[in-house]
Amino acid sequence: GGLLARVDCQQFRTLKTNGGNVELACFGLVANFIGRGLGGYLLSKAIASAWLMEGTKRVWVRTCLLYHPNALVNYQARGFEIYAKVTE
């Protein structure tokens, strides 16, 4: 199982995967709260929650160019690095 958190403006879910890898999934803001500077705060909370899960060795997130234009910048500002690029 994972952790699902939802507040009036935000949600995120962490999924435990094999080998201590934790994926941040279902991450985002409710539409009315986009552009208010809350994404960084939410991402920081999601990352902290992922690291608190027992056995976590790596935290990762999958993103897409179709997501919010600031998504990748937000991930990188909090220490994420591009691991792979996939074109489908």
Side-chain angles (χ1 to χ4, degrees):
L3 168 69
L4 177 63
R6 181 161 178 83
V7 186
D8 290 337
C9 66
Q10 58 200 11
Q11 72 175 15
F12 65 87
R13 181 175 175 184
T14 56
L15 299 173
K16 189 83 167 198
T17 60
N18 293 333
N21 296 305
V22 177
E23 178 185 4
L24 297 182
C26 302
F27 176 85
L29 295 174
V30 175
N32 292 346
F33 291 88
I34 292 174
R36 296 186 183 187
L38 299 171
Y41 172 78
L42 172 62
L43 182 56
S44 295
K45 292 297 232 179
I47 293 167
S49 293
W51 282 111
L52 288 174
M53 296 176 75
E54 185 176 341
T56 299
K57 295 178 183 172
R58 180 175 81 118
V59 177
W60 66 284
V61 65
R62 186 183 324 249
T63 192
C64 171
L65 293 175
L66 299 176
Y67 293 167
H68 191 278
N70 292 335
L72 181 59
V73 173
N74 191 11
Y75 297 135
Q76 290 175 318
R78 277 146 193 86
F80 285 95
E81 298 176 357
I82 297 174
Y83 176 78
K85 293 182 182 181
V86 177
T87 303
E88 295 181 4

